[in-house]
Structure formats: C-alpha cells, structure tokens
C-alpha cells in the first residue's frame, strides 16, 4: 500500500477509536487493518498505538505521526480543490473546545461571524473545562485559561485576564463583606472541580505576604457557568476569571471583594496564569480554514480587549 493510504487508515483508526470501526469506514476487514497497522509500525520501527481489548491510545511517536497524517490529508484536499476549481476553497470541519462561560459569551458569536464569511466551514463548538489529549481528541483548537504545561503544544494569548472574588449585592448585604482572606471561613464559597480535583485551596498575595486559605465550599461544580450563576443567585462567593464576569460587574449584578490581593488556585501559577489562550498542535501545514480562524479569533479578541 502507498504511504498516503496508510495515513488515511491511521487517521481513521484514531478518529473512530478502534481498528474494527476504521475497517468498516474504509471497507476493510479487522484482520486487514491489523496487518496494515503492524506493517506500518515495522516500516518505521516504532510503536504507534497502545492497544488493549477495549481501548487504544497514541504513543508519543503515534501522536506525532497522527498530526502529520491530518496535515498531509488536509493539504491533499486543498490541492484537489485548487486543481478542480482553480481556487483554494475554504471548507471542511473545524472543531473547537472552550470553557462554557467563554464559549457562550465570546466564542459562539465569533464563530457566527466566521461562518458568515466562510459558509462551507462546519464548526463544532464543545463547551467544557477539561483539556484532554489534544492529538487524540480530534480537536483543532482548545481555548483555555492558564499557562501551558505540554511543551508539544502551541499557545497564543487571546486576552489578558486575572481572577477575582465576587458575589451578588444581596449575598454581601446578608453575610457581610470579607476584609481579609481569613474571613472567607465565615462565608459560603463556590468552588470548581477539575479532573476530579476540588479546587478549594486558594492562594492570595498582597504586597508583602502570601496567604494560603483552604475554604470549605458550600457548593461544587465542574462547570464555570454554573458557578457564575450560583454567585448571581446569591449563593456565595466565587473565584472567577474577570472575562467571565466583567459584564456582571459593570451592571453591578456582582461585586468584587478582597481586591487588594492577587488570587489564584495554584501557588506555582503566576499572575499570567489566568490569561485566556488558544492552544493547538502545530504551526506547519495548517489547513487554510484553521489558519483563517486563528487569525480571525485573535483579531476579534484584540478588539474586545480595547
């Protein structure tokens, strides 16, 4: 088999999360898919997949090869469009993941504008706060707060941000306003859960001292939009990124507290750790639709920041 067919097969295995499912898509038997995958690994003398009876996952070499497969397949499709139509048409699927708050307030309207310009691009917008393996997920871009842990990924800042503690005027009228971080022990705190970790250890920094406060939250959620709504409903004090709640603060639906302290979930995270970033796999061989969307997204957030 030629190398391009092998790339198409490998991309199908990852997309369908299984050899049998890839075979059904391509009209091949499970045995034929297994033989071709083994031949592919033997050719390059590397293991591309970790396989069990129920699950497959990419090795580091497999992740690198899979990304190259996607880029080359997209490049071939663009070339075919150029030969057939004389233009490099902007078409295809664009898969984006964003936190629920940011996704609804900012990314969804931006995608609507982008779709008006490029109607043949089909966007998928997934709203969640989890960052799974980007290569295996099939996502084109992930929009997240915080610094980048995986050096194999590329991150570009969309907007500066910071974390604030906020509550509704009704809650503060009832419970009082905290003056120091220690006062949070007397308040109803609303906390995030991320990857099964309860984010209830909050770090504060003033001009001289660092304070570490383990709050006893009254409510938890893995959805930032739920935390925001609870705060609006008067349920307690939430630690939120300013981009999520800036309109609520302007309209005085929420009020910030403990403003003299830099706030974060993690002592090792700098103040830049709350910035909003767009994360993707590679700068090389990007499909035209992805290049255009990244430029459009960064341009729109530059306007928002003004």
């Amino acid at each position: 088999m030629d190398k391009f067919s092998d790339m198409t097969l490998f991309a199908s295995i990852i997309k369908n999360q299984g050899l049998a499912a890839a075979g059904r898509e391509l009209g091949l038997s499970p045995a034929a898919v297994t033989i071709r995958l083994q031949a592919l690994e033997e050719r390059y003398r590397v293991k591309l997949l970790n396989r069990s009876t129920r699950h497959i996952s990419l090795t580091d070499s497999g992740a690198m090869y899979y990304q190259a497969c996607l880029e080359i397949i997209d490049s071939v499709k663009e070339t075919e469009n150029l030969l057939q139509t004389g233009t490099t048409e902007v078409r295809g699927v664009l898969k984006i993941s964003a936190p629920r708050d940011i996704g609804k307030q900012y990314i969804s309207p931006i995608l609507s504008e982008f779709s008006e310009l490029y109607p043949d691009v089909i966007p998928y917008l997934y709203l969640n706060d989890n960052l799974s393996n980007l290569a295996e997920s099939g996502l084109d871009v992930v929009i997240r707060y915080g610094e980048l842990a995986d050096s194999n990924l590329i991150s570009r800042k969309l907007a500066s941000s910071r974390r604030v503690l906020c509550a509704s005027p009704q809650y503060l009228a009832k419970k009082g306003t905290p003056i120091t971080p220690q006062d949070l022990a007397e308040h109803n705190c609303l906390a995030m859960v991320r990857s099964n970790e309860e984010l209830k250890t909050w770090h504060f920094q003033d001009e001289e001292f660092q304070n570490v406060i383990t709050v006893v939250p009254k409510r938890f959620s893995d959805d930032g939009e739920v935390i925001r709504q609870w705060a609006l409903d008067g349920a307690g004090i939430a630690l939120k990124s300013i981009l999520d709640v800036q309109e609520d603060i302007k309209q005085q639906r929420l009020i910030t507290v403990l403003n003299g302290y830099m706030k974060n979930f993690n002592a090792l995270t700098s103040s830049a750790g709350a910035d909003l970033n767009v994360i993707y796999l590679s700068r090389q061989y990007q499909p035209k639709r992805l290049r255009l969307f990244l430029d459009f997204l960064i341009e729109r957030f530059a306007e928002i920041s003004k």
Side-chain angles (χ1 to χ4, degrees):
M1 285 291 175
D2 64 88
K3 292 180 180 179
F4 185 74
S5 295
D6 286 339
M7 288 181 170
T8 302
L9 173 66
F10 191 75
S12 180
I13 291 171
I14 305 306
K15 181 183 74 173
N16 292 289
Q17 279 297 292
L19 278 67
R24 287 193 294 272
E25 181 179 69
L26 300 174
L28 299 171
S29 69
V33 175
T34 300
I35 290 169
R36 285 183 55 184
L37 178 61
Q38 289 173 344
L40 185 60
E41 291 180 322
E42 289 172 5
R43 180 196 303 160
Y44 295 115
R45 297 181 183 178
V46 294
K47 187 176 183 180
L48 299 173
L49 290 178
N50 296 310
R51 282 169 278 170
S52 67
T53 55
R54 294 187 177 183
H55 181 67
I56 63 169
S57 62
L58 290 164
T59 64
D60 289 343
S61 296
M64 181 172 61
Y65 181 68
Y66 176 58
Q67 178 61 22
C69 290
L70 295 180
E71 292 169 353
I72 290 170
I73 291 168
D74 272 317
S75 179
V76 169
K77 288 179 179 177
E78 284 190 7
T79 302
E80 288 175 339
N81 284 331
L82 177 60
L83 291 173
Q84 291 168 1
T85 67
T87 60
T88 53
E89 295 182 10
V90 183
R91 60 171 61 244
V93 169
L94 192 61
K95 294 188 176 183
I96 303 137
S97 173
R100 193 170 296 272
D101 270 353
I102 287 294
K104 286 188 173 182
Q105 292 188 64
Y106 299 102
I107 307 305
S108 178
I110 288 171
L111 269 177
S112 294
E113 289 184 63
F114 187 77
S115 294
E116 288 286 331
L117 293 173
Y118 305 103
D120 291 326
V121 175
I122 309 301
Y124 288 67
L125 178 58
Y126 301 95
L127 301 179
N128 61 69
D129 287 289
N130 299 317
L131 179 54
S132 57
N133 185 304
L134 192 55
E136 293 184 15
S137 69
L139 295 168
D140 293 298
V141 297
V142 172
I143 295 163
R144 288 292 181 270
Y145 288 109
E147 296 169 333
L148 192 60
D150 188 342
S151 61
N152 293 318
L153 301 176
I154 295 168
S155 177
R156 294 171 69 181
K157 188 169 80 171
L158 291 176
S160 297
S161 188
R162 56 190 171 87
R163 290 194 171 94
V164 295
L165 281 171
C166 56
S168 70
Q170 296 83 359
Y171 173 85
L172 295 175
K174 180 180 178 181
K175 291 282 191 175
T177 301
I179 304 302
T180 69
Q182 287 74 17
D183 293 341
L184 292 174
E186 307 299 323
H187 283 269
N188 299 339
C189 294
L190 312 171
M192 286 287 295
V193 179
R194 184 173 297 149
S195 301
N196 296 320
E197 179 189 1
E198 297 177 352
L199 303 181
K200 59 186 180 181
T201 301
W202 295 353
H203 296 260
F204 298 83
Q205 178 72 53
D206 61 15
E207 293 181 357
E208 298 181 9
F209 302 106
Q210 184 180 68
N211 288 285
V212 179
I213 305 296
T214 300
V215 297
V216 182
K218 295 295 184 181
R219 300 185 189 183
F220 289 95
S221 178
D222 65 348
D223 187 328
E225 186 185 30
V226 170
I227 298 287
R228 171 175 165 262
Q229 188 59 54
W230 283 342
L232 288 168
D233 292 342
I237 296 176
L239 180 55
K240 294 290 294 176
S241 290
I242 187 66
L243 287 172
D244 290 342
V245 294
Q246 61 185 1
E247 192 60 32
D248 298 318
I249 293 167
K250 285 180 185 177
Q251 300 299 325
Q252 297 186 333
R253 294 187 292 262
L254 292 174
I255 296 173
T256 59
V257 299
L258 297 178
N259 294 321
Y261 299 85
M262 186 182 81
K263 294 156 278 287
N264 225 317
F265 295 123
N266 191 324
L268 299 178
T269 306
S270 71
S271 58
D275 289 347
L276 188 68
N277 300 302
V278 57
I279 301 165
Y280 51 98
L281 281 167
S282 173
R283 293 183 190 275
Q284 294 183 313
Y285 311 116
Q286 288 176 344
K288 188 174 182 180
R289 63 183 178 276
L290 178 55
R291 295 195 303 271
L292 288 170
F293 176 69
L294 287 171
D295 290 343
F296 191 81
L297 184 68
I298 289 165
E299 179 183 314
R300 283 292 175 271
F301 267 96
E303 294 172 0
I304 291 167
S305 297
K306 291 178 183 177

